[in-house]
Amino acid sequence: MDIVRSFRLVSVVEAISFLLLLLVAMPLKYVADVPQVVSIVGPIHGVLWMAYVALVFLVRGPLAWDGTRTLLALVASVLPVAPFYVERKWTERPAERAQQPA
């Protein structure tokens, strides 16, 4: 699988896991007293987050990201829905961007 395609997939799955952790697992832990869900979703999200961060550095070259964009993509990893934006708006290769009409 292409590294950029892998990054796009991990970006989406990581963002979904973060939302599940925040909107499902954490309320179940503190409202319904069911901490087991966090014990399951938390480590899954952690692995996906680490994959996202590693892939940011791997796709930096193929996507021609400068230091600022790379840093912003890393910051996006700690915001609940920001990886969706990164995946949608920043993952076109330079050749694909050049072919689009202005």
Side-chain angles (χ1 to χ4, degrees):
M1 182 183 278
D2 179 1
I3 193 72
V4 174
R5 193 169 172 194
S6 297
F7 176 70
R8 293 184 76 176
L9 176 65
V10 169
S11 294
V12 170
V13 177
E14 189 273 338
I16 291 169
S17 75
F18 197 3
L19 291 174
L20 283 173
L21 185 61
L22 292 175
L23 301 176
V24 177
M26 295 299 283
L28 284 173
K29 178 178 179 177
Y30 292 108
V31 175
D33 197 29
V34 184
Q36 297 83 0
V37 181
V38 171
S39 299
I40 295 167
V41 177
I44 293 169
H45 169 68
V47 168
L48 289 167
W49 179 82
M50 288 187 295
Y52 176 91
V53 169
L55 286 167
V56 163
F57 290 104
L58 293 175
V59 299
R60 181 176 190 232
L63 294 175
W65 286 356
D66 60 6
T68 301
R69 179 145 299 180
T70 303
L71 180 61
L72 289 173
L74 291 170
V75 169
S77 73
V78 297
L79 302 173
V81 296
F84 289 123
Y85 181 84
V86 171
E87 183 273 332
R88 180 63 53 196
K89 301 292 183 181
W90 293 356
T91 55
E92 291 180 340
R93 295 178 191 269
E96 293 169 355
R97 285 191 297 251
Q99 292 175 355
Q100 292 180 352

